[in-house]
Amino acid sequence: MTPAELQAAVRAAVQACVDNGSLSVQVPDVVVVERPKVKEHGDYATNVALTLAKAAAKPPRDVATLLAAELQRADGIDTVEVAGPGFLNVRLAGEALASVVPAVISAGSAFGTNDQASGHSINLEFVSANPTGPIHIGGVRWAAVGDALARLLQASGAKVSREYYFNDHGAQIDRFARSLLAAAQGEPTPEDGYGGEYIHEIAARVLAEHPDALSAVDPQEVFREHGVELMFGEIRQSLHEFGVDFDVYFHENSLHESGAVERAVDRLRNLGRIYEKDGAVWLRTTDLGDDKDRVVIKSDGEPAYISGDLAYYLDKRERGFDRCVIMLGADHSGYVGRLMAMCAAFGDTPGVNLEILIGQLVNLVKDGQPLRMSKRAGTVVSLEDLVDAIGVDAARYALVRSSADSQIDIDLDLWARKSSDNPVFYVQYAATRAASVLRHARDLGVEPGGDLGLLTHPRENELLLALAEFPRVVANAADLREPHRVARYLEEQVAKSAQRFWDDCQVLPKGDEVVLPTAGPRLQLWQATRIVLENGLGLLGVTAPERM
RNA sequence: GCACCCGUAGCUCAGCCGGAUAGAGCAACCGCCUUCUAAGCGGUCGGUCGCAGGUUCGAGUCCUGCCGGGUGCGCCA
């Protein structure tokens, strides 16, 4: 019996009480069935009696007693107790507990998926770092979290497009081009330009490919065009090596060249959201929750940055995405109001058609000291630096295991360690142990199989309960856009229980011992554990090695 | 000044729609290996959940105010 099946059984019990007249309440659509913190409170607990007490006009414990009698009759339930203020504490029968094992094994890589988001077409925009330098640590957080979220949403049945909004238009790109040109001419970095070693490298590569660049009619344009291309190629490559590939790299420039910006502005004008003042074209966003109106077309006739956002959003909606999710760093939190207002201006619903997720900043810590970054000095900590220090798996896991709402410190010494202090190692090690015992079993000719009813050890029960949680952890993490829930679950529930199971429940014979009847069922439990760890780590973009 | 995020054990962080005695890892201390990976496991110690009110049968969780930290508030992109 899975948690979902138990929820259904609890609802059915409420329904039964309503039908037999002992309770007059509306049967709730969803009931909460959770794993109690204290194991004396059973395998699962529900507070449904507490929530229904008021409507039923009965004391919670009386409601609980009525429900307990009904629930007791459901298949797979061993005991139901009324406890505390009116909780129902449920213990499952052994077979019901073990039934998760064949369910996991037969579903395989599909175990944990759900269809709560099926029918939705979700556009996920993240990273979108300007191609004016290597991708730095701020963007990396979203590379890890965004990609994990994409996987979670796909696992929940949604159609997902990962998109990178490629800003190849505007003043920052001009500064980048000027910096390249200056470097190629052996001149110092311009006042407002970009410093750093990479500028010289890119300039040299442009020169190597276009030796006559400096004598071109517009040398800066040559460096702009080819410099952006090279920089962007590097960003794509490092993201690819990080395991993150986008379905669409959307060029801001294309919106300006295709007339999409004008169309978006016209659309808003027809909707009565546009006015003109001081020679500029404004979008009236203050009606829609923003703190000031926004200039869309500047008085010099150039489109302001937001005009690209308007056109891009409209483009996404016209491509059929019903949900657009944009992931931004904390340094962009000031944009939320205007983007939400923009969404409303088009007649859409902020929070539904457009979601904006803000990720707080990441600090890297080395030898107990934060690594300070300076863009001017060129001491930027890039994606490559992070990967060089701790590897892709550790980097992705470290970035994804905390809530994006929290600032995090990543201790490079900790994440490089090969011991259980290191969370990613701990989880991967559990996956490795699963692979190891299965491998040894094959070598010894011991087959998984046999009577799952033999899985009665407390460690086995704990692991079975942990595995059964996976589908709702996935659903919940996807729904809340919080991939860190998957990581925490893998560490605290699956890997933890698996390590304890390993420690207390020997599977294979040692030396000249005989093969015990528990060997087959325990191997199946290890198979299921391996699958959940693989699937869970897979959702985070982290590998589950066969051996360490 | 205004907006958003954060404030939970010495440190790093969880805490799902408000529910039972607030959890985990690290650090400290004490234990457990002749053969499936000790790269591990068990235990002890450790918390006025920033402060003050409020709502509630019940608040770390919701509301208000304050304190502290972070980020942002351009006809920049």
Side-chain angles (χ1 to χ4, degrees):
Chain A
M1 168 175 269
T2 64
E5 288 163 354
L6 180 56
Q7 281 174 325
V10 170
R11 282 194 74 230
V14 176
Q15 185 69 58
C17 287
V18 170
D19 291 346
N20 70 25
S22 56
L23 283 180
S24 58
V25 294
Q26 180 121 31
V27 180
D29 292 336
V30 284
V31 297
V32 175
V33 168
E34 59 182 6
R35 290 191 56 200
K37 292 166 198 153
V38 204
K39 68 170 187 290
E40 288 68 39
H41 293 159
D43 297 331
Y44 294 101
T46 175
N47 65 351
V48 66
L50 290 159
T51 63
L52 293 177
K54 192 170 277 181
K58 289 184 196 296
R61 285 191 65 103
D62 291 1
V63 177
T65 305
L66 290 168
L67 292 173
E70 289 300 329
L71 190 55
Q72 183 73 64
R73 284 205 273 270
D75 279 345
I77 286 177
D78 183 16
T79 62
V80 181
E81 289 169 11
V82 177
F87 289 99
L88 289 176
N89 292 340
V90 178
R91 266 172 230 283
L92 298 188
E95 326 80 74
L97 211 53
S99 68
V100 68
V101 169
V104 174
I105 292 171
S106 67
S109 60
F111 183 69
T113 59
N114 66 85
D115 59 2
Q116 69 178 5
S118 69
H120 286 294
S121 190
I122 302 179
N123 186 293
L124 210 54
E125 179 195 336
F126 57 107
V127 184
S128 299
N130 286 350
T132 55
I135 179 161
H136 61 82
I137 188 66
V140 178
R141 182 172 202 173
W142 277 131
V145 177
D147 187 58
L149 184 53
R151 293 167 192 243
L152 279 168
L153 291 169
Q154 285 169 327
S156 297
K159 192 169 146 274
V160 175
S161 178
R162 293 169 175 81
E163 302 212 2
Y164 188 121
Y165 186 49
F166 174 28
N167 178 342
D168 51 358
H169 182 93
Q172 293 199 15
I173 295 295
D174 292 342
R175 287 207 279 276
F176 174 64
R178 277 202 300 279
S179 305
L180 290 176
L181 179 57
Q185 292 169 328
E187 290 170 8
T189 304
E191 183 63 23
D192 57 354
Y194 294 92
E197 197 54 36
Y198 72 94
I199 289 287
H200 291 86
E201 287 169 19
I202 298 279
R205 283 172 63 190
V206 173
L207 271 183
E209 288 171 29
H210 305 275
D212 53 352
L214 287 171
S215 53
V217 180
D218 183 354
Q220 186 177 313
E221 173 54 25
V222 177
F223 280 93
R224 187 200 64 77
E225 183 187 347
H226 298 289
V228 164
E229 203 173 290
L230 288 170
M231 196 70 251
F232 191 56
E234 292 206 352
I235 290 174
R236 264 165 81 143
Q237 181 61 28
S238 41
L239 286 168
H240 175 72
E241 285 164 10
F242 197 56
V244 179
D245 292 290
F246 290 82
D247 301 297
V248 174
Y249 293 88
F250 202 97
H251 292 243
E252 184 190 1
N253 231 349
S254 70
L255 294 167
H256 296 281
E257 287 171 353
S258 70
V261 168
E262 286 81 353
R263 281 202 305 279
V265 174
D266 286 346
R267 169 81 71 96
L268 291 168
R269 187 175 280 117
N270 291 336
L271 290 165
R273 301 291 184 183
I274 293 286
Y275 66 96
E276 305 205 3
K277 193 183 84 176
D278 304 332
V281 177
W282 296 70
L283 177 62
R284 195 186 314 278
T285 53
T286 44
D287 291 353
L288 303 164
D290 197 7
D291 47 9
K292 55 187 74 165
D293 288 343
R294 303 295 167 179
V295 168
V296 174
I297 307 290
K298 298 188 273 186
S299 52
D300 64 4
E302 288 293 311
Y305 184 73
I306 194 176
S307 65
D309 288 329
L310 297 173
Y312 187 25
Y313 176 72
L314 193 58
D315 182 87
K316 287 173 181 172
R317 297 287 282 128
E318 286 173 348
R319 278 187 283 146
F321 296 104
D322 59 325
R323 307 247 159 135
C324 301
V325 180
I326 304 178
M327 311 175 103
L328 299 172
D331 54 343
H332 288 66
S333 60
Y335 299 172
V336 175
R338 79 193 65 169
L339 291 174
M340 287 304 191
M342 165 197 85
C343 167
F346 280 118
D348 283 348
T349 309
V352 174
N353 300 294
L354 178 63
E355 285 176 54
I356 300 186
L357 307 179
I358 297 293
Q360 299 299 318
L361 303 183
V362 177
N363 285 310
L364 299 184
V365 175
K366 174 86 182 154
D367 302 325
Q369 295 295 315
L371 290 181
R372 286 278 164 234
M373 296 199 297
S374 160
K375 229 170 185 174
R376 285 293 299 178
T379 57
V380 174
V381 181
S382 69
L383 172 54
E384 286 88 346
D385 296 335
L386 179 62
V387 170
D388 286 348
I390 63 177
V392 170
D393 282 344
R396 290 192 64 139
Y397 195 90
L399 289 162
V400 90
R401 94 182 265 271
S402 291
S403 161
D405 285 341
S406 294
Q407 287 183 47
I408 49 170
D409 290 338
I410 294 182
D411 182 340
L412 297 178
D413 304 311
L414 169 68
W415 288 95
R417 223 170 279 164
K418 300 224 176 304
S419 70
S420 62
D421 310 3
N422 176 348
V424 70
F425 184 87
Y426 184 72
V427 177
Q428 288 182 315
Y429 185 47
T432 306
R433 281 190 150 167
S436 166
V437 71
L438 292 167
R439 195 164 52 234
H440 278 271
R442 275 195 302 276
D443 293 346
L444 293 172
V446 182
E447 295 287 327
D451 180 9
L452 291 170
L454 295 175
L455 298 176
T456 56
H457 192 281
R459 297 298 188 233
E460 294 164 342
N461 288 350
E462 178 182 274
L463 183 52
L464 290 166
L465 286 164
L467 299 181
E469 287 300 300
F470 187 56
R472 58 180 186 168
V473 169
V474 172
N476 206 229
D479 194 39
L480 296 168
R481 281 76 166 117
E482 293 186 348
H484 76 273
R485 288 174 186 278
V486 174
R488 297 296 175 152
Y489 159 77
L490 293 176
E491 281 171 43
E492 293 165 10
Q493 298 195 50
V494 185
K496 184 75 188 170
S497 317
Q499 302 277 25
R500 285 154 65 109
F501 171 51
W502 172 279
D503 218 55
D504 287 354
C505 301
Q506 186 186 327
V507 179
L508 298 171
K510 300 174 180 180
D512 48 10
E513 291 175 358
V514 296
V515 177
L516 297 173
T518 50
R522 283 179 173 171
L523 282 171
Q524 289 187 80
L525 180 50
W526 273 118
Q527 286 181 315
T529 303
R530 172 78 196 177
I531 289 168
V532 169
L533 288 169
E534 273 179 5
N535 293 359
L537 286 171
L539 287 169
L540 305 178
V542 176
T543 61
E546 286 285 321
R547 49 186 99 213
M548 301 299 283

PDB file of all heavy atoms in Angstrom, chain A residues 128-131 164-169 173 228-229 232 249-253 312:
ATOM      1  N   SER A 128      20.604  32.516 -18.776  1.00  0.00           N
ATOM      2  CA  SER A 128      20.498  33.747 -19.576  1.00  0.00           C
ATOM      3  C   SER A 128      21.567  34.774 -19.241  1.00  0.00           C
ATOM      4  O   SER A 128      21.307  35.972 -19.245  1.00  0.00           O
ATOM      5  CB  SER A 128      19.112  34.390 -19.410  1.00  0.00           C
ATOM      6  OG  SER A 128      18.114  33.508 -19.863  1.00  0.00           O
ATOM      7  N   ALA A 129      22.776  34.304 -18.921  1.00  0.00           N
ATOM      8  CA  ALA A 129      23.852  35.238 -18.607  1.00  0.00           C
ATOM      9  C   ALA A 129      24.301  35.959 -19.875  1.00  0.00           C
ATOM     10  O   ALA A 129      24.284  35.389 -20.958  1.00  0.00           O
ATOM     11  CB  ALA A 129      25.031  34.488 -17.993  1.00  0.00           C
ATOM     12  N   ASN A 130      24.674  37.203 -19.722  1.00  0.00           N
ATOM     13  CA  ASN A 130      25.160  37.964 -20.864  1.00  0.00           C
ATOM     14  C   ASN A 130      26.445  37.352 -21.405  1.00  0.00           C
ATOM     15  O   ASN A 130      27.310  36.960 -20.622  1.00  0.00           O
ATOM     16  CB  ASN A 130      25.452  39.409 -20.454  1.00  0.00           C
ATOM     17  CG  ASN A 130      24.183  40.201 -20.257  1.00  0.00           C
ATOM     18  OD1 ASN A 130      23.093  39.746 -20.595  1.00  0.00           O
ATOM     19  ND2 ASN A 130      24.321  41.376 -19.691  1.00  0.00           N
ATOM     20  N   PRO A 131      26.587  37.316 -22.722  1.00  0.00           N
ATOM     21  CA  PRO A 131      27.795  36.733 -23.313  1.00  0.00           C
ATOM     22  C   PRO A 131      28.950  37.727 -23.321  1.00  0.00           C
ATOM     23  O   PRO A 131      29.586  37.943 -24.334  1.00  0.00           O
ATOM     24  CB  PRO A 131      27.347  36.375 -24.728  1.00  0.00           C
ATOM     25  CG  PRO A 131      26.284  37.382 -25.034  1.00  0.00           C
ATOM     26  CD  PRO A 131      25.604  37.701 -23.741  1.00  0.00           C
ATOM     27  N   TYR A 164      17.345  29.723 -22.973  1.00  0.00           N
ATOM     28  CA  TYR A 164      18.402  30.658 -22.588  1.00  0.00           C
ATOM     29  C   TYR A 164      18.162  31.915 -23.406  1.00  0.00           C
ATOM     30  O   TYR A 164      18.183  31.880 -24.629  1.00  0.00           O
ATOM     31  CB  TYR A 164      19.758  30.027 -22.926  1.00  0.00           C
ATOM     32  CG  TYR A 164      20.979  30.752 -22.423  1.00  0.00           C
ATOM     33  CD1 TYR A 164      21.874  30.116 -21.563  1.00  0.00           C
ATOM     34  CD2 TYR A 164      21.277  32.056 -22.823  1.00  0.00           C
ATOM     35  CE1 TYR A 164      23.020  30.758 -21.107  1.00  0.00           C
ATOM     36  CE2 TYR A 164      22.417  32.703 -22.368  1.00  0.00           C
ATOM     37  CZ  TYR A 164      23.288  32.054 -21.525  1.00  0.00           C
ATOM     38  OH  TYR A 164      24.429  32.679 -21.076  1.00  0.00           O
ATOM     39  N   TYR A 165      17.876  33.003 -22.723  1.00  0.00           N
ATOM     40  CA  TYR A 165      17.636  34.281 -23.391  1.00  0.00           C
ATOM     41  C   TYR A 165      18.979  34.944 -23.579  1.00  0.00           C
ATOM     42  O   TYR A 165      19.627  35.341 -22.613  1.00  0.00           O
ATOM     43  CB  TYR A 165      16.716  35.139 -22.530  1.00  0.00           C
ATOM     44  CG  TYR A 165      16.263  36.440 -23.149  1.00  0.00           C
ATOM     45  CD1 TYR A 165      15.743  36.492 -24.424  1.00  0.00           C
ATOM     46  CD2 TYR A 165      16.311  37.624 -22.411  1.00  0.00           C
ATOM     47  CE1 TYR A 165      15.304  37.682 -24.970  1.00  0.00           C
ATOM     48  CE2 TYR A 165      15.865  38.824 -22.936  1.00  0.00           C
ATOM     49  CZ  TYR A 165      15.358  38.847 -24.227  1.00  0.00           C
ATOM     50  OH  TYR A 165      14.915  40.033 -24.748  1.00  0.00           O
ATOM     51  N   PHE A 166      19.370  35.012 -24.792  1.00  0.00           N
ATOM     52  CA  PHE A 166      20.725  35.379 -25.151  1.00  0.00           C
ATOM     53  C   PHE A 166      20.755  36.848 -25.524  1.00  0.00           C
ATOM     54  O   PHE A 166      20.263  37.251 -26.570  1.00  0.00           O
ATOM     55  CB  PHE A 166      21.129  34.452 -26.304  1.00  0.00           C
ATOM     56  CG  PHE A 166      22.443  34.732 -26.923  1.00  0.00           C
ATOM     57  CD1 PHE A 166      23.478  35.313 -26.225  1.00  0.00           C
ATOM     58  CD2 PHE A 166      22.656  34.365 -28.244  1.00  0.00           C
ATOM     59  CE1 PHE A 166      24.688  35.548 -26.818  1.00  0.00           C
ATOM     60  CE2 PHE A 166      23.865  34.583 -28.846  1.00  0.00           C
ATOM     61  CZ  PHE A 166      24.881  35.187 -28.129  1.00  0.00           C
ATOM     62  N   ASN A 167      21.302  37.611 -24.616  1.00  0.00           N
ATOM     63  CA  ASN A 167      21.294  39.061 -24.769  1.00  0.00           C
ATOM     64  C   ASN A 167      22.439  39.506 -25.664  1.00  0.00           C
ATOM     65  O   ASN A 167      23.563  39.648 -25.225  1.00  0.00           O
ATOM     66  CB  ASN A 167      21.405  39.678 -23.379  1.00  0.00           C
ATOM     67  CG  ASN A 167      21.441  41.189 -23.440  1.00  0.00           C
ATOM     68  OD1 ASN A 167      21.715  41.772 -24.486  1.00  0.00           O
ATOM     69  ND2 ASN A 167      21.166  41.807 -22.327  1.00  0.00           N
ATOM     70  N   ASP A 168      22.129  39.716 -26.940  1.00  0.00           N
ATOM     71  CA  ASP A 168      23.180  40.121 -27.879  1.00  0.00           C
ATOM     72  C   ASP A 168      22.860  41.491 -28.460  1.00  0.00           C
ATOM     73  O   ASP A 168      23.096  41.778 -29.615  1.00  0.00           O
ATOM     74  CB  ASP A 168      23.306  39.080 -28.991  1.00  0.00           C
ATOM     75  CG  ASP A 168      21.966  38.761 -29.643  1.00  0.00           C
ATOM     76  OD1 ASP A 168      20.937  39.323 -29.202  1.00  0.00           O
ATOM     77  OD2 ASP A 168      21.939  37.960 -30.574  1.00  0.00           O
ATOM     78  N   HIS A 169      22.302  42.335 -27.629  1.00  0.00           N
ATOM     79  CA  HIS A 169      21.819  43.626 -28.101  1.00  0.00           C
ATOM     80  C   HIS A 169      22.006  44.622 -26.965  1.00  0.00           C
ATOM     81  O   HIS A 169      21.721  44.311 -25.825  1.00  0.00           O
ATOM     82  CB  HIS A 169      20.318  43.481 -28.436  1.00  0.00           C
ATOM     83  CG  HIS A 169      19.696  44.721 -28.976  1.00  0.00           C
ATOM     84  ND1 HIS A 169      19.602  44.963 -30.313  1.00  0.00           N
ATOM     85  CD2 HIS A 169      19.138  45.784 -28.353  1.00  0.00           C
ATOM     86  CE1 HIS A 169      19.002  46.133 -30.496  1.00  0.00           C
ATOM     87  NE2 HIS A 169      18.713  46.654 -29.326  1.00  0.00           N
ATOM     88  N   ILE A 173      26.836  44.841 -24.521  1.00  0.00           N
ATOM     89  CA  ILE A 173      27.544  44.184 -25.613  1.00  0.00           C
ATOM     90  C   ILE A 173      28.500  45.179 -26.286  1.00  0.00           C
ATOM     91  O   ILE A 173      29.612  44.815 -26.671  1.00  0.00           O
ATOM     92  CB  ILE A 173      26.522  43.638 -26.645  1.00  0.00           C
ATOM     93  CG1 ILE A 173      25.681  42.539 -26.009  1.00  0.00           C
ATOM     94  CG2 ILE A 173      27.216  43.139 -27.885  1.00  0.00           C
ATOM     95  CD1 ILE A 173      26.473  41.306 -25.630  1.00  0.00           C
ATOM     96  N   VAL A 228      31.173  37.936 -29.535  1.00  0.00           N
ATOM     97  CA  VAL A 228      29.960  37.427 -28.911  1.00  0.00           C
ATOM     98  C   VAL A 228      29.774  35.952 -29.266  1.00  0.00           C
ATOM     99  O   VAL A 228      29.449  35.115 -28.409  1.00  0.00           O
ATOM    100  CB  VAL A 228      28.731  38.254 -29.346  1.00  0.00           C
ATOM    101  CG1 VAL A 228      27.439  37.509 -29.028  1.00  0.00           C
ATOM    102  CG2 VAL A 228      28.737  39.610 -28.665  1.00  0.00           C
ATOM    103  N   GLU A 229      30.025  35.646 -30.523  1.00  0.00           N
ATOM    104  CA  GLU A 229      29.875  34.270 -30.981  1.00  0.00           C
ATOM    105  C   GLU A 229      30.817  33.320 -30.223  1.00  0.00           C
ATOM    106  O   GLU A 229      30.403  32.258 -29.756  1.00  0.00           O
ATOM    107  CB  GLU A 229      30.218  34.245 -32.469  1.00  0.00           C
ATOM    108  CG  GLU A 229      29.630  33.108 -33.258  1.00  0.00           C
ATOM    109  CD  GLU A 229      29.942  33.341 -34.734  1.00  0.00           C
ATOM    110  OE1 GLU A 229      29.356  34.286 -35.336  1.00  0.00           O
ATOM    111  OE2 GLU A 229      30.784  32.609 -35.245  1.00  0.00           O
ATOM    112  N   PHE A 232      29.831  33.152 -26.511  1.00  0.00           N
ATOM    113  CA  PHE A 232      28.620  32.363 -26.352  1.00  0.00           C
ATOM    114  C   PHE A 232      28.908  30.878 -26.527  1.00  0.00           C
ATOM    115  O   PHE A 232      28.375  30.033 -25.806  1.00  0.00           O
ATOM    116  CB  PHE A 232      27.569  32.838 -27.356  1.00  0.00           C
ATOM    117  CG  PHE A 232      26.221  32.262 -27.081  1.00  0.00           C
ATOM    118  CD1 PHE A 232      25.640  32.433 -25.844  1.00  0.00           C
ATOM    119  CD2 PHE A 232      25.540  31.556 -28.055  1.00  0.00           C
ATOM    120  CE1 PHE A 232      24.391  31.887 -25.580  1.00  0.00           C
ATOM    121  CE2 PHE A 232      24.297  31.016 -27.802  1.00  0.00           C
ATOM    122  CZ  PHE A 232      23.729  31.188 -26.562  1.00  0.00           C
ATOM    123  N   TYR A 249      18.019  28.573 -27.625  1.00  0.00           N
ATOM    124  CA  TYR A 249      18.828  29.745 -27.274  1.00  0.00           C
ATOM    125  C   TYR A 249      18.193  30.905 -28.021  1.00  0.00           C
ATOM    126  O   TYR A 249      18.271  30.973 -29.245  1.00  0.00           O
ATOM    127  CB  TYR A 249      20.284  29.554 -27.702  1.00  0.00           C
ATOM    128  CG  TYR A 249      20.991  28.470 -26.923  1.00  0.00           C
ATOM    129  CD1 TYR A 249      20.948  27.141 -27.336  1.00  0.00           C
ATOM    130  CD2 TYR A 249      21.691  28.774 -25.754  1.00  0.00           C
ATOM    131  CE1 TYR A 249      21.584  26.149 -26.609  1.00  0.00           C
ATOM    132  CE2 TYR A 249      22.334  27.784 -25.024  1.00  0.00           C
ATOM    133  CZ  TYR A 249      22.277  26.475 -25.460  1.00  0.00           C
ATOM    134  OH  TYR A 249      22.905  25.495 -24.747  1.00  0.00           O
ATOM    135  N   PHE A 250      17.529  31.743 -27.263  1.00  0.00           N
ATOM    136  CA  PHE A 250      16.733  32.788 -27.915  1.00  0.00           C
ATOM    137  C   PHE A 250      17.523  34.084 -27.979  1.00  0.00           C
ATOM    138  O   PHE A 250      17.946  34.612 -26.962  1.00  0.00           O
ATOM    139  CB  PHE A 250      15.439  32.998 -27.127  1.00  0.00           C
ATOM    140  CG  PHE A 250      14.363  33.632 -27.946  1.00  0.00           C
ATOM    141  CD1 PHE A 250      13.398  32.848 -28.557  1.00  0.00           C
ATOM    142  CD2 PHE A 250      14.340  35.003 -28.130  1.00  0.00           C
ATOM    143  CE1 PHE A 250      12.416  33.429 -29.333  1.00  0.00           C
ATOM    144  CE2 PHE A 250      13.357  35.583 -28.913  1.00  0.00           C
ATOM    145  CZ  PHE A 250      12.395  34.796 -29.513  1.00  0.00           C
ATOM    146  N   HIS A 251      17.708  34.589 -29.184  1.00  0.00           N
ATOM    147  CA  HIS A 251      18.502  35.809 -29.363  1.00  0.00           C
ATOM    148  C   HIS A 251      17.647  37.050 -29.225  1.00  0.00           C
ATOM    149  O   HIS A 251      16.691  37.232 -29.969  1.00  0.00           O
ATOM    150  CB  HIS A 251      19.164  35.803 -30.740  1.00  0.00           C
ATOM    151  CG  HIS A 251      20.221  34.751 -30.865  1.00  0.00           C
ATOM    152  ND1 HIS A 251      21.539  35.049 -31.086  1.00  0.00           N
ATOM    153  CD2 HIS A 251      20.146  33.407 -30.764  1.00  0.00           C
ATOM    154  CE1 HIS A 251      22.238  33.926 -31.127  1.00  0.00           C
ATOM    155  NE2 HIS A 251      21.415  32.917 -30.942  1.00  0.00           N
ATOM    156  N   GLU A 252      18.013  37.888 -28.281  1.00  0.00           N
ATOM    157  CA  GLU A 252      17.267  39.126 -28.108  1.00  0.00           C
ATOM    158  C   GLU A 252      17.232  39.915 -29.414  1.00  0.00           C
ATOM    159  O   GLU A 252      16.212  40.492 -29.769  1.00  0.00           O
ATOM    160  CB  GLU A 252      17.902  39.990 -27.005  1.00  0.00           C
ATOM    161  CG  GLU A 252      17.089  41.250 -26.727  1.00  0.00           C
ATOM    162  CD  GLU A 252      17.797  42.260 -25.829  1.00  0.00           C
ATOM    163  OE1 GLU A 252      18.936  42.017 -25.412  1.00  0.00           O
ATOM    164  OE2 GLU A 252      17.184  43.300 -25.558  1.00  0.00           O
ATOM    165  N   ASN A 253      18.365  39.911 -30.096  1.00  0.00           N
ATOM    166  CA  ASN A 253      18.452  40.648 -31.348  1.00  0.00           C
ATOM    167  C   ASN A 253      17.332  40.297 -32.320  1.00  0.00           C
ATOM    168  O   ASN A 253      16.802  41.152 -33.031  1.00  0.00           O
ATOM    169  CB  ASN A 253      19.796  40.318 -32.014  1.00  0.00           C
ATOM    170  CG  ASN A 253      20.524  41.581 -32.402  1.00  0.00           C
ATOM    171  OD1 ASN A 253      19.940  42.671 -32.360  1.00  0.00           O
ATOM    172  ND2 ASN A 253      21.781  41.448 -32.777  1.00  0.00           N
ATOM    173  N   TYR A 312       9.468  38.938 -25.978  1.00  0.00           N
ATOM    174  CA  TYR A 312       9.855  37.549 -25.709  1.00  0.00           C
ATOM    175  C   TYR A 312       8.711  36.810 -25.007  1.00  0.00           C
ATOM    176  O   TYR A 312       8.376  35.674 -25.346  1.00  0.00           O
ATOM    177  CB  TYR A 312      11.129  37.543 -24.855  1.00  0.00           C
ATOM    178  CG  TYR A 312      11.750  36.183 -24.638  1.00  0.00           C
ATOM    179  CD1 TYR A 312      11.550  35.130 -25.538  1.00  0.00           C
ATOM    180  CD2 TYR A 312      12.566  35.961 -23.537  1.00  0.00           C
ATOM    181  CE1 TYR A 312      12.143  33.900 -25.321  1.00  0.00           C
ATOM    182  CE2 TYR A 312      13.163  34.720 -23.316  1.00  0.00           C
ATOM    183  CZ  TYR A 312      12.947  33.690 -24.208  1.00  0.00           C
ATOM    184  OH  TYR A 312      13.528  32.476 -24.000  1.00  0.00           O
TER     185      TYR A 312
END
